[in-house]
Amino acid sequence: MPKVGMEPVRRQQLIEATLQSVAELGLQATTINSISKKAGMSSGIISHYFGGKQGLIEATVRYLLSSLQRSLLQRTVQGCTPEQRLMFIVEANFAVVQQQRDTTRTWLSFWAHSMHDAELHRLQRVNARRLYSNLLYSFKQLMAPGKAREAAELSAAMIDGLWLRAVLNKADDAQFDSAQDLAKRYIQSLIQQFGV
Amino acid sequence: MPKVGMEPVRRQQLIEATLQSVAELGLQATTINSISKKAGMSSGIISHYFGGKQGLIEATVRYLLSSLQRSLLQRTVQGCTPEQRLMFIVEANFAVVQQQRDTTRTWLSFWAHSMHDAELHRLQRVNARRLYSNLLYSFKQLMAPGKAREAAELSAAMIDGLWLRAVLNKADDAQFDSAQDLAKRYIQSLIQQFGV
Amino acid sequence: MPKVGMEPVRRQQLIEATLQSVAELGLQATTINSISKKAGMSSGIISHYFGGKQGLIEATVRYLLSSLQRSLLQRTVQGCTPEQRLMFIVEANFAVVQQQRDTTRTWLSFWAHSMHDAELHRLQRVNARRLYSNLLYSFKQLMAPGKAREAAELSAAMIDGLWLRAVLNKADDAQFDSAQDLAKRYIQSLIQQFGV
Amino acid sequence: MPKVGMEPVRRQQLIEATLQSVAELGLQATTINSISKKAGMSSGIISHYFGGKQGLIEATVRYLLSSLQRSLLQRTVQGCTPEQRLMFIVEANFAVVQQQRDTTRTWLSFWAHSMHDAELHRLQRVNARRLYSNLLYSFKQLMAPGKAREAAELSAAMIDGLWLRAVLNKADDAQFDSAQDLAKRYIQSLIQQFGV
DNA sequence: AATGAATGAGTGTTCATTCAT
DNA sequence: CATGAATGAACACTCATTCAT
């Protein structure tokens, strides 16, 4: 039944099935069949829409990245202070987790794989720089440029480090909240230390 | 050619071939053939010595863990100050990297896989707790217990975060040194902040 | 080339290739490749249709059993005497052989393997009991129940014994016919001896 | 420690380990390792003494055959009647079973394999003919030669058939005894029927 | 004489991809 | 558009054999 306009729907369904499968089984054990079965479609459709497994994986990572971006933009409405905006950045980075419990593991799988996949590595660098840029932009409004750069770098590492340790320890929601709090308090201490 | 006393040699050769293969190809693409070819041995020998691929992977992670431990013990000779010891902990965690350039990517592959492998997850938790414990032990000599616990948690996250970002960005030696410096300076700032 | 309705055809083709391969090479030397090559298909299709080699072997035994059953039902049309029916039972058991020359060896391979395979053992018992039941049913119409049971047991053993010795000696058609005659005459002598 | 005269001992130990392994695991799953482990020796010794797995298997079958022969000779002391001797033949054929419970399954494995192994097939034919000859020799003393041949053939088939059905049904000792009784009574009925 | 380390061809199975329908 | 049957290379693993000791 050839319906028009089904493409974006099908693509999104497949991306979400991929997220689920990678979270459940890991990237290694995720197959074109485990995905298509979860999506309730045939295996052939993956090649049809994404050119192959690789393409679907990359599209899924791009979707995760844009989710993170949207998550941040939703929060940073106009008129918030630089300090508020920094807190929102932290929240956005941890929120991706809480929206979809499973998604966290998925990130780690993708980043590990990015070491051996050029396109994924490119996406990972975009993501790492975006976090740094977002932090830098706000820190610059609060301190000297040199200090701001160091603050941004340290904050980015602290956010990633807390997040990594939480994921690897299969932390529950409370532990994720606690990690998020530590990150926020760390940023506030940086502002106090370096701030004008 | 049955020589006696070859077992430890062969095991070590296979572990090193595994490290190389995972660094080069990733854990996903590392096969029993890619390892045995690198080791200059037949594929059957892996099952003979490690019972299978899984056993070799786990032995390799255990070897990495003991390397890290040895790296720390070499540094923390008797009579060093708590502050010195903290610097050594940082150095040990970054040094594993520099001894064997390839090893870094390997860690990430293993930890990502640990989300879906019980034994690897156990080893990862041992590692995460060991870093925390080592840090806590030294911080406790410099500040109140409550503050020490927070400092240990934050330092552990900062070390892991800086390390993760360096690895993912395929950082060169200079960038790793810079990350190591940032970690050290962060710990010093914690001592100044929380110290008695 | 996904044609619909191919499944039963493919399954039958694979079962027949299995019969051929086991007859030629034995169950031990029959591999997924020897079967798929004979069937003119790829090796992957066996897992696709039967879940694995084990599944195909079991399906093949079930097919042999149903062939035997069908062979008997074809003969025992209504209105035949008990004595005629007993002759038909003998014929059916020897006929499976003659329809497909190779099939005989196959039976023996399967039964030998049934000692170490639960499902095959179950199928073997079904087969052994069926022969006994079929014989008993007819003997009961000709003699006292106690005598009928003994006659059925002896006849079953005689049929299997003659068949086994013929198979193991790689008997030709004439020798199989001779064995069949002996079996028939033995049953007739039982009727004379025990019959009312 | 090179002891002289160890060869026959080692050979016998390996043959007995083979019998055990085939009974336990089947011929298919019996490996050079499963045998040598059971015998408490190294795997290499099998090639050393028997030239390979194949050679050991054949030696094991030859040992079984000679056991059967010995079992018969032990019974048929001089001065027994032809009828007694026939009973002894039946007993010998069923006794191999009872001496070593496991041995029964082993026979079947070997005979099934004999369809695809020239040397084993030769041994099987020797065995089949020996049973026939032994029976014929005694029957000839009790009836006309033509009748004796038929009686021998039928008796051989009955013995093998009862034995086969007992083995395949994993019969217990009582069921084996019952099968043995049926065989004896059948032979007696043949003597009454055909005897002078 | 006896070992067992080492080999590597061969096994059953998985799975991304293709393509006729 | 969408399917899923079919492929076959690649995988981890097994195992009879070899041979230096």
Side-chain angles (χ1 to χ4, degrees), chain B residues 30-188:
Chain B
T30 286
T31 69
I32 243 165
N33 266 324
S34 75
I35 295 168
S36 57
K37 188 171 276 182
K38 248 181 226 305
M41 301 178 211
S42 72
S43 64
I45 202 121
I46 288 172
S47 289
H48 186 259
Y49 278 129
F50 295 96
K53 188 192 184 187
Q54 180 77 354
L56 176 52
I57 295 295
E58 283 167 17
T60 304
V61 172
R62 265 190 289 269
Y63 169 73
L64 277 184
L65 251 62
S66 71
S67 285
L68 180 55
Q69 187 74 339
R70 247 179 295 118
S71 175
L72 178 59
L73 292 175
Q74 274 173 6
R75 281 157 223 269
T76 56
V77 285
Q78 283 196 322
C80 67
T81 68
E83 200 175 327
Q84 280 177 317
R85 195 170 166 277
L86 285 166
M87 295 305 108
F88 290 146
I89 294 171
V90 172
E91 279 173 27
N93 272 276
F94 280 89
V96 180
V97 169
Q98 278 143 344
Q99 286 171 356
Q100 251 178 297
R101 202 69 258 286
D102 299 328
T103 309
T104 27
R105 303 181 176 188
T106 310
W107 278 94
L108 190 55
S109 284
F110 286 144
W111 291 158
H113 194 53
S114 79
M115 311 264 34
H116 307 279
D117 177 318
E119 176 61 7
L120 248 48
H121 188 240
R122 200 185 62 73
L123 292 173
Q124 185 281 320
R125 289 188 82 117
V126 167
N127 190 54
R129 282 172 193 205
R130 189 138 67 192
L131 174 56
Y132 175 79
S133 299
N134 279 329
L135 292 166
L136 183 59
Y137 176 82
S138 290
F139 276 124
K140 269 190 175 164
Q141 301 181 322
L142 297 164
M143 54 189 73
K147 289 285 177 193
R149 276 194 293 276
E150 189 171 339
E153 198 168 354
L154 286 166
S155 305
M158 184 61 89
I159 291 169
D160 282 354
L162 285 165
W163 176 88
L164 175 66
R165 290 179 75 88
V167 172
L168 285 176
N169 283 301
K170 300 188 181 179
D172 56 28
D173 280 357
Q175 289 171 301
F176 262 100
D177 284 344
S178 160
Q180 183 175 322
D181 276 353
L182 272 177
K184 285 185 177 177
R185 274 161 50 208
Y186 174 59
I187 283 175
Q188 281 158 344

Side-chain angles (χ1 to χ4, degrees), chain D residues 7-156:
Chain D
E7 181 170 333
V9 178
R10 292 265 186 264
R11 289 178 71 97
Q12 189 54 29
Q13 285 171 331
L14 284 166
I15 284 171
E16 258 143 36
T18 305
L19 285 173
Q20 261 187 280
S21 178
V22 175
E24 237 172 72
L25 312 166
L27 187 54
Q28 195 152 71
T30 286
T31 68
I32 239 161
N33 265 324
S34 74
I35 295 168
S36 58
K37 187 172 276 181
K38 245 180 226 306
M41 301 178 209
S42 74
S43 63
I45 202 147
I46 288 172
S47 291
H48 187 260
Y49 277 134
F50 296 95
K53 189 193 184 185
Q54 180 77 354
L56 176 52
I57 296 295
E58 284 166 15
T60 303
V61 172
R62 265 191 290 270
Y63 169 73
L64 276 184
L65 251 60
S66 71
S67 285
L68 180 55
Q69 185 75 338
R70 246 180 295 118
S71 177
L72 179 59
L73 292 175
Q74 276 174 6
R75 280 157 224 268
T76 56
V77 285
Q78 283 194 321
C80 65
T81 68
E83 199 175 328
Q84 280 176 318
R85 194 168 165 277
L86 285 166
M87 296 304 108
F88 289 147
I89 293 171
V90 172
E91 279 172 29
N93 273 274
F94 280 89
V96 180
V97 169
Q98 278 142 342
Q99 287 171 355
Q100 248 178 300
R101 202 68 258 289
D102 298 330
T103 310
T104 27
R105 303 182 175 188
T106 310
W107 278 96
L108 190 54
S109 286
F110 287 144
W111 292 157
H113 194 53
S114 78
M115 311 263 34
H116 309 280
D117 177 318
E119 175 61 7
L120 247 49
H121 188 240
R122 201 185 61 75
L123 292 172
Q124 186 280 321
R125 287 186 84 115
V126 167
N127 189 54
R129 285 176 188 201
R130 189 140 66 195
L131 175 55
Y132 176 78
S133 299
N134 280 329
L135 291 166
L136 183 59
Y137 176 83
S138 291
F139 275 123
K140 270 190 175 166
Q141 300 180 321
L142 298 165
M143 55 190 73
K147 289 285 176 192
R149 277 194 293 276
E150 188 172 339
E153 200 170 350
L154 285 167
S155 304

